[in-house]
Structures are given as structure tokens and as C-alpha cells.
Amino acid sequence: DVMTWMQDVRKISPAVLSGAQVRAVNHPHLGQAVAFPYLGDEAPFPCKFRTVDKRFASTKDRSRGLYNRHLLQEFLGLPVVICEGEIDALSCQQAGFDRAVSVPDGWTEQGNKTEALFAAEKDLRASPFVIVAGDSDKAGESLPRAVANLLKGHDVRHAVWPEGCKDANDVLVQHGEGALA
């Protein structure tokens, strides 16, 4: 069961999953999958789908923008955390960061996926500071630079993960909420 996997293996609580409207679906091409809705003004919401064995699909012909972008209008006055994946954004929420978002479909070393960040620039600048929590790989190393260039003059920080952890969810799973916070 994919929701049991999200809770027991990925360590995301039912409350966080419910708040993000994450649910199990029987996807026509993937089979049993987790649906991550990109909540916003339009309904039905575009979704990204993921299986336990890391196969992906997304709602056809729909632009998604930042995952959790609706949170940029909520919890004003709190920092924004930018991640590379939906599970990492949910992990940051699990650790108490209410305004955690993710770039759609990860990040690339070339940094050529900036549309969603540009579209959210005004909301990102309205935060007291932005924490970039990318993966600890070549692609993830370029994300803080891209965000800092976009938000030139704004306080942009970046997360450094403990040894053996590549992203926010690894820290949550291996070390717990306190360590991730």
C-alpha cells in the first residue's frame, strides 16, 4: 500500500499527508501510485504520480508550477523552504516548516527549470528569508545559486545535509524531525 509506504518508510504523518491532499490512486499506466496534487485556483488539480519503485507520471497537458505553491499565500511572515521533490517538501512540513514547496520534476545540473521559480518570485520575496533544501548532488548544488540569482538582494540560505543523507527525506528517515528542523 503506497500510503503505508509514505507513512512507515518515508515517515510522513497522516496529518501532513491529509493536509496536502496526498492520496493513493490506481493510475492507468503506473498501477498503485501516490498522487501529489498541485493545489491552486484551478480544479481538478494537476497531479504528479509516483510509485514505490520510483516510476512517475503527471497530469497531461497541465502546468503545475511549484508544488505547495498555495502555501506561499498562507503562514505569511514565515520562511519558505524550496526543495527538489514533493516528498522532500512534505518532509520539511513534517519537521515544522509550514511553507515548504518543491520545483516540479526535480532540478537539473543545467538549472534550466526556472519557470516555476520566476512565477513565484513575488511571493518568495515576501518571505523573511528562503531556505534552499536541494539534493546533495551536482544538480542540487546549482539550485541555491539559481534561487539566489533570481532573488538577488533577498536573504537566501541553503541546507547542508549530514553525511549519508542526500535530501530532506533522508534526514527525516535517518535522524528524525528535530535533526531536519
Side-chain angles (χ1 to χ4, degrees):
D1 176 61
V2 293
M3 295 309 285
T4 300
W5 173 75
M6 286 292 292
Q7 294 170 39
D8 294 350
V9 176
R10 294 304 192 145
K11 304 297 184 194
I12 310 296
S13 72
V16 169
L17 293 170
S18 175
Q21 298 182 31
V22 174
R23 65 192 184 283
V25 298
N26 189 13
H27 190 275
H29 302 292
L30 300 175
Q32 191 63 212
V34 180
F36 299 95
Y38 277 61
L39 304 175
D41 298 331
E42 69 280 353
F45 303 117
C47 286
K48 183 172 175 184
F49 305 94
R50 183 188 189 229
T51 63
V52 172
D53 62 348
K54 210 169 182 178
R55 291 177 295 126
F56 299 94
S58 59
T59 306
K60 188 176 168 116
D61 300 324
R62 298 288 299 275
S63 174
R64 287 178 280 139
L66 292 176
Y67 176 70
N68 276 344
R69 71 181 181 265
H70 67 288
L71 296 177
L72 297 177
Q73 300 300 315
E74 299 177 25
F75 308 107
L76 299 177
L78 295 178
V80 172
V81 179
I82 300 174
C83 300
E84 285 189 62
E86 297 84 3
I87 292 176
D88 292 323
L90 294 170
S91 297
C92 290
Q93 285 185 286
Q94 185 69 40
F97 290 93
D98 293 321
R99 297 177 81 199
V101 300
S102 173
V103 293
D105 303 320
W107 190 249
T108 64
E109 192 173 339
Q110 297 77 23
N112 57 355
K113 294 183 171 186
T114 56
E115 300 84 20
L117 293 169
F118 279 113
E121 179 181 2
K122 180 180 173 189
D123 292 325
L124 295 172
R125 285 188 179 279
S127 69
F129 59 94
V130 171
I131 302 168
V132 181
D135 292 358
S136 63
D137 58 14
K138 286 289 186 191
E141 290 173 10
S142 72
L143 182 56
R145 286 190 302 276
V147 173
N149 286 338
L150 171 68
L151 301 177
K152 196 172 294 285
H154 194 68
D155 187 357
V156 176
R157 306 168 187 191
H158 75 276
V160 178
W161 306 124
E163 187 71 30
C165 296
K166 72 170 182 59
D167 58 29
N169 187 250
D170 278 355
V171 177
L172 177 64
V173 168
Q174 294 179 34
H175 302 288
E177 293 175 20
L180 180 53

